[in-house]
Each structure stands twice: as structure tokens, then as C-alpha cells.
Amino acid sequence: MTVVMEKPGQPGQTVQAEPPPPVAPVRRISRSMVVGAILVVWLVLFAVLRGKQTLSLAAADLTDLHRWLNDVNDSIGANRNSNPLFLYGFNEIRLVIDNLVTFVQDLISQPSGDRPLPQIGWLGVVGLAGYVSWAVANWRVALLAVAGFTFLGLQGLWQESMDTLALTLSAVLVALLFALPLGVWAGLSPRANRIVTPFLDFMQTMPTFVYLAPLTLFFLIGGASATIATVIYAAPPAIRITAHAIRSVPATTVEAAASMGATRRQSLLKVLLPMSKRTVVMGINQTIMAALAMVTIAALIDAPGLGKTVVQALQSLDVGTAFNAGLAIVVMAIVLDRVTTAASGRAEAARRSGSALLKWRRHLLAAGGVVAAVLVYLSHTYLWAAEFPGDGSTGSNIAKAADDVTTWAQDNLSGLTNGFRDAITNGLLNPFQTLLTDSPWWLVGAALIGIAVVLGGWRAGITTAVCVGLLVATGVWSDGMTTLASTVVATVLVMLLGVVFGVWMGRSALVDRMVRPTLDAAQVMPPFVYLVPFLALFGATRFTAIVAAIVYAAPVAIKIIADGVRTVPATTVEAATSTGCNTWQIITKVQLPMARSALTLATNQGLIYVLSMVVVGGLVGAGALGYDVVAGFSQGQLYGKGLAAGLAIVLLGVMFDRITQAAARRTSN
């Protein structure tokens, strides 16, 4: 560099200055490198300390906490009818819910009073299902509803199906009584939304299993506890979606109504709710689907219906009966989903059809109402219209076919399925489970906290530390680590499927149109249903639960990743193509890095879905926390341990959720 400097006696003399030394580039340590270092340290210490301070507990052993919970349960049972809190609180709530459920069951499923059959028989129920579906949706959905409900009877599962429908309708009714007003409030008030959101996050983080145990403590087993658990599980979607719908109404529309003199109440009733109607109905759809899924799982606490048939069949490894009942659950789920989905677009379809067709539709609906009323009368009066005809031979044939397929698969595919099972189990699951269960508890806790801090920040680290401490206190640390191992392995496989199919769908609109309907249909099915086919293929093992969890969680992960890849700007992809990048380079160097927040969100949702399904797998040999919860329901002396296992599941879910959500926020910033 040449500069002009003046020295004494030599003004304006040009001298050559030395260039500054080059600055060495600072290499930034990535989060993945830090996580890798934590894992290496963990492995080294594991090799030295293996088998020490593992907090293992035998299946029949209890801790002081478990015995205390058993004592609390016994004490509550002894004082249930004398303690004012129960006498005027929980018992009254249970009585109201029981009366509601009994009323609906008397209508459509159970003998009512002196009648040997319900008030409305099968013909009336099918007629009402068709008429309501036609009224809120269209004639195609009405035909689907009639065919679906008729098929339930042909399966020989009419009463079980109606019990499930009665519990679902009761729970949805109660849930919407609370959810819709709360959703409107949260949509109108940002402060209310901030208050409600953490509770909704917590409620949706918890797997379905964990609602059951604490509720039986206060409401006993049976329909009331099942309905209350279903209400708690099914209400959050309606609250969230209703609040979102209210907030999505353009502010200019609300301001225009206010400028014309509309009061706050008038703006709500005449502007906000009508413009939010379609989205609110979608929220009701999600509530119904969640309620149906929960009602089937609530069979573990003696809830009547199809879920009880599935549970009993799974426990006895009767694949045929489980498949027949599972198919009935799927049919009911499809019918309810199609009706409510079509109902959300009904108003728009009516506007497009024109006033003349709308007038004809009203006349036809009036005539259809008369026909439905006649069918209800016939089913109330005559035995042939009240009791579903036939002996359920269709269901017997379905069960026999499922058993035949199971036998064939076990005879001809056992080499393939067992090889696949053993490869995953011995190659991934067993080593990781050994690392978690045979490491000292404090080493595992330190590693989890360190990973949480690196990925999610200090707040996620603090949350993880609290969860680890409480997991130790539950006394089921070893079982918790076994469940953690299954959950992580299943989530890794879910993300592999998610990336492969998500990128494929995100890059091809044709593939998306072909695959997405299948993914949507898969998300309609309750968790129980996924266990049945894999029980036939892999037997009653923990691997069955893992595969079912993968299939259950993969659709949501695939759709999130596909949407994330699709949002990458086309100009960016074109620029990469113009520089000579091939397809693989575009995917790995452009689309996936730019969709990183979607990948993190998919991991979050995959973990939560997998955790809930792995726990349900306790019914088919998955063991660990799922088995502890199921055993707590069936064996009184293990109730306290089952309750502690439910708490451990919550803690795992909260820990996963906080880490992945915090990581998603840091990735998007």
C-alpha cells in the first residue's frame, strides 16, 4: 500500500507502508459438532461406568411413591361418599356425565327402561345418519353414511358401534360447549390467547394414555371417566382452530361494521362468526376425530364399544376379531370425517348452486325429514326395524379371512419379517436401549440436558433438567429409558420416510395429488387400528409397537416436510440449476437446508405421535411405561406404579416438545 507521509525536513515524501497481516478466519463450531462431542463423552463414560446407578426396578417392585399413591387411591375410595369435595364436586360431575351418556345410549345402543332394545333401532339410526349427512353435506356423503352404518351392522357389531358413537357424541357435545366459547374468547383477546395457549400445548403434548389413570382416581372407571378424558383430549383442536378463524377475519371488515354502528356483540354474531363458519366446522371435524380416537383407547378403563372389543382381542392375540372391530372403527371414522369435512364447504356450494336449486333442496329436505321420522317410528315400534337382521356372518367372514392371511403371512413371510425385525432390533434398538438403561442415571440426564441446551437454548435445558429430576422421582427411570429408546429409534425411521416422501411430494405436484389423499386417510384412523396388521406380521413384540408408531406418525411428518420443500422459492431452485447443480445437489444443498424449520417441526410432531403410539403398544408386548400403565388399570396393587408411569410419559412428552419447539424457533431465526 502506498501512502504519503511528511517527515521533519522532508515534506510530502512518499514511503511504502507494510500491509497489515492477514486475519485468520474464525471457524464457527456448529451445533451438530457439539452434540457429537457430547455423545462421544457419553460413550466413553458408559464404557467405564456401565451397569452402575441405573435405578432399575423389577416389574412387581414398588417404590415409596408408588405405595403412597396406592394409599391415596384407597383413601379416596373409602371416603368418596363422605368427603365434601367428592360429595358435592366430583361425584356430581360424574353423575351429570353419566346421565348424559346413559341418555344417548338409551336412544341408540342400550336397552331403555323396560324395553329390551334402545328407543331408536337400527333402521331409524341409519335413516337419521343419511338425513343429517344430506342436510349438512350432500347426497353423496349421505349415501356413504347409509352404506357405512349398514356395514357396521353386517359386521355383527351394531351395538358396539352404537356404544362408541354414543360416547363420541356425548364427549363432542360437552367439549364444544366449552371449546367454542373459549376459542372465540381467545380469538378476540390476545391476552386470553396467551393465557390459553400454554394449557393447550400441554394438553396436546400428552399421549392419550395418560389422561386415563388420574381421571379414574376421581371419577372411577367407566363411561364418565372415558367421556371426561375424551373431552379433555378433544377440546384443544376446536379451541385453537376457532381462535385462528376469528383472528383471520380481515380487520377492515370488522372496522367497517363498527363504523356502521355495530356493537361488539353484533360484530361477533353478524360478521366474525359467519365469516369464520367454514374454519370453525373444520375445528369441529378435528374434535370429532380426536374424540373417536380417545373413546376407543378409553376401553382400558371399561368404556363400552368397539375399543373394548379391540383391546380384548389384542390381549388374547385374536387378530381376526381385532381386525373386524378395527375395520368398524375405520368405517365410522371415515363416515364422520367425510360428513364434517363436506359440511365445512356446504355454504359455499349452496351459493354456487343458485336460489332455484336451493329452493328445491329445501323442499326435498322437508320430504326427507318426513321419511327419516317414519323410519325412526318404525324402528321404535317394530322388532324387525329395531334389531339389526342377520347373524353378523359378514364380520365372521372378515375375521376368518384376516386369520387366514395372518396364518399365511406367518408361514410364508416369517423369514422376511423376522429378518427385518431382528435387523432393526439388534442393529438400532438394542444398542441404543442398552446405552440408555445401563448408563448411570446422572450421566443420561447430563447428556440430555446438554443436548437440550445446544439445540434449544438455556430455557429448553432448564425444562429438561426439571423433567429428568421428576423422572427419577417417579421410580420408573429404567422403563422410561426403554420407552425413550423405542421412541427415538422410531422417530429416526419416521424422519427417513418423511424426508424421502416429503421431498418427492414437494418437488412433484402430481405425486402430491396421488399420495396426499392416502396420508389424509391414514390420519383419520385411531391409534389402536395400526397395531392389528403388524401384530399379524411381527407377533406380540416391542417391534410391533415401533412399526405401528412409524406408520402412525409418518403421514404428518411427510406432509410437513412436503409443504416446507414446496415453499422454497422457485427462483432459488432455478438459480441453482443454472449454475450446473444436479437434482441431488439441489435437494441436499438448497431445498432441505432452506426447509430446515419444517424438518424441525416434523421432528417435533413425529416425536409426539410416536410417543403416544409406542405407549399404546404396551398392549402387544412393548413393555416399559405402556405396560406399567395397562397393568395399573388391571392390577390394583400396581395402580400407583401405573400412575407414576403415566406421569413419566407426560414428562417425556414435555421434554421432547420443548426441545424440538425451541430448536425450531432457533432454526427459523
Side-chain angles (χ1 to χ4, degrees):
M1 179 173 62
T2 302
V3 297
V4 177
M5 301 181 63
E6 294 186 2
K7 293 185 179 181
Q10 298 176 335
Q13 183 176 358
T14 300
V15 298
Q16 191 76 18
E18 293 293 332
V23 179
V26 178
R27 186 176 182 182
R28 186 177 180 182
I29 300 176
S30 66
R31 292 174 190 165
S32 58
M33 293 176 64
V34 178
V35 171
I38 292 173
L39 294 177
V40 169
V41 173
W42 183 2
L43 289 171
V44 171
L45 292 177
F46 167 74
V48 177
L49 302 171
R50 181 173 182 175
K52 298 179 180 179
Q53 299 175 323
T54 57
L55 302 181
S56 59
L57 188 71
D61 290 345
L62 303 176
T63 67
D64 291 340
L65 174 64
H66 305 157
R67 296 186 186 91
W68 179 78
L69 290 173
N70 283 339
D71 292 340
V72 170
N73 184 41
D74 295 339
S75 176
I76 288 176
N79 298 285
R80 186 177 298 276
N81 295 323
S82 59
N83 189 305
L85 184 62
F86 283 87
L87 200 58
Y88 303 107
F90 295 122
N91 289 358
E92 291 298 319
I93 295 173
R94 179 172 178 267
L95 180 63
V96 170
I97 298 296
D98 261 339
N99 287 338
L100 173 63
V101 173
T102 301
F103 172 75
V104 180
Q105 286 180 311
D106 286 348
L107 280 180
I108 63 174
S109 66
Q110 294 289 338
S112 173
D114 297 332
R115 291 174 56 87
L117 294 167
Q119 295 289 336
I120 304 176
W122 75 271
L123 187 62
V125 172
V126 171
L128 283 176
Y131 177 71
V132 171
S133 301
W134 183 27
V136 302
N138 54 61
W139 64 270
R140 296 182 185 86
V141 176
L143 288 179
L144 174 65
V146 170
F149 274 71
T150 303
F151 182 70
L152 298 176
L154 294 174
Q155 288 182 276
L157 296 170
W158 179 259
Q159 182 170 334
E160 292 88 344
S161 300
M162 291 304 100
D163 278 329
T164 297
L165 182 63
L167 286 177
T168 302
L169 293 178
S170 301
V172 169
L173 176 62
V174 177
L176 294 180
L177 286 177
F178 293 97
L180 294 182
L182 279 175
V184 171
W185 183 40
L188 294 174
S189 170
R191 183 178 181 183
N193 188 57
R194 288 193 299 270
I195 294 172
V196 170
T197 297
F199 292 99
L200 299 181
D201 289 341
F202 182 72
M203 291 164 67
Q204 291 192 291
T205 298
M206 290 193 295
T208 51
F209 247 31
V210 303
Y211 288 95
L212 304 180
L215 288 173
T216 59
L217 189 65
F218 299 104
F219 300 104
L220 299 176
I221 63 172
S225 291
T227 304
I228 295 170
T230 304
V231 168
I232 296 172
Y233 181 70
I239 298 173
R240 282 189 188 278
I241 296 175
T242 301
H244 171 72
I246 296 295
R247 288 195 301 270
S248 298
V249 175
T252 52
T253 306
V254 180
E255 292 170 359
S259 66
M260 296 176 64
T263 63
R264 187 178 179 89
R265 178 184 177 86
Q266 290 172 329
S267 295
L268 174 63
L269 297 178
K270 303 295 185 181
V271 178
L272 291 171
L273 288 180
M275 294 187 69
S276 306
K277 181 180 178 181
R278 179 169 184 170
T279 307
V280 170
V281 175
M282 289 175 59
I284 295 173
N285 167 271
Q286 294 300 301
T287 295
I288 292 174
M289 293 297 99
L292 180 60
M294 188 66 193
V295 161
T296 56
I297 292 176
L300 291 170
I301 55 173
D302 204 33
L306 295 168
K308 179 177 284 189
T309 304
V310 174
V311 169
Q312 292 172 347
L314 289 176
Q315 290 175 335
S316 61
L317 304 182
D318 184 352
V319 176
T321 301
F323 182 83
N324 187 44
L327 180 61
I329 295 172
V330 172
V331 170
M332 183 174 293
I334 291 173
V335 170
L336 295 177
D337 179 63
R338 291 299 92 195
V339 170
T340 49
T341 300
S344 66
R346 175 65 211 151
E348 184 178 348
R351 284 195 299 270
R352 290 199 305 264
S353 65
S355 58
L357 290 177
L358 184 61
K359 184 177 180 180
W360 274 105
R361 175 179 166 81
R362 288 173 179 170
H363 291 312
L364 290 174
L365 282 176
V370 173
V371 173
V374 171
L375 295 179
V376 169
Y377 170 76
L378 292 175
S379 69
H380 178 78
T381 307
Y382 298 101
L383 182 64
W384 61 268
E387 189 174 24
F388 198 94
D391 55 358
S393 58
T394 300
S396 300
N397 292 334
I398 292 173
K400 183 178 183 302
D403 284 331
D404 292 341
V405 171
T406 299
T407 302
W408 179 88
Q410 291 172 347
D411 291 341
N412 296 277
L413 300 178
S414 58
L416 179 63
T417 56
N418 291 345
F420 178 64
R421 180 192 65 198
D422 294 342
I424 298 296
T425 301
N426 297 326
L428 287 177
L429 183 57
N430 285 347
F432 188 50
Q433 180 174 315
T434 300
L435 177 65
L436 286 170
T437 56
D438 288 3
S439 292
W441 69 267
W442 53 266
L443 177 58
V444 179
L448 292 175
I449 295 168
I451 293 172
V453 171
V454 173
L455 296 180
W458 289 106
R459 290 185 179 179
I462 293 172
T463 301
T464 303
V466 172
C467 290
V468 168
L470 293 176
L471 272 171
V472 173
T474 60
V476 289
W477 173 266
S478 183
D479 285 349
M481 293 303 98
T482 301
T483 297
L484 176 60
S486 299
T487 302
V488 171
V489 168
T491 303
V492 169
L493 298 176
V494 165
M495 291 305 297
L496 288 176
L497 288 175
V499 169
V500 172
F501 286 94
V503 169
W504 194 20
M505 290 171 60
R507 289 175 55 85
S508 171
L510 175 62
V511 173
D512 187 272
R513 287 195 299 270
M514 293 174 59
V515 176
R516 191 171 289 266
T518 303
L519 300 180
D520 292 338
Q523 286 190 278
V524 170
M525 293 190 292
F528 266 7
V529 178
Y530 289 91
L531 291 174
V532 178
F534 299 112
L535 178 65
L537 286 175
F538 301 106
T541 66
R542 55 182 174 165
F543 185 73
T544 300
I546 290 175
V547 177
I550 293 169
V551 178
Y552 178 59
V556 65
I558 292 171
K559 291 201 290 187
I560 292 173
I561 294 172
D563 293 340
V565 171
R566 193 176 299 109
T567 58
V568 175
T571 53
T572 305
V573 177
E574 292 169 1
T577 304
S578 65
T579 60
C581 292
N582 56 35
T583 301
W584 175 254
Q585 290 171 327
I586 290 173
I587 293 172
T588 57
K589 303 295 184 181
V590 179
Q591 291 178 313
L592 286 180
M594 294 188 70
R596 192 177 302 160
S597 59
L599 291 171
T600 311
L601 178 60
T603 304
N604 170 274
Q605 293 300 295
L607 275 168
I608 300 304
Y609 274 65
V610 164
L611 179 61
S612 64
M613 192 65 197
V614 165
V615 173
V616 172
L619 291 169
V620 291
L625 295 178
Y627 172 80
D628 291 338
V629 174
V630 174
F633 292 134
S634 58
Q635 303 176 44
Q637 71 273 17
L638 296 179
Y639 179 85
K641 189 174 184 179
L643 200 60
L647 175 59
I649 296 167
V650 174
L651 294 171
L652 288 176
V654 170
M655 184 170 64
F656 289 148
D657 184 63
R658 293 301 96 185
I659 293 174
T660 50
Q661 282 202 23
R665 287 193 295 269
R666 296 184 72 179
T667 301
S668 60
N669 291 336

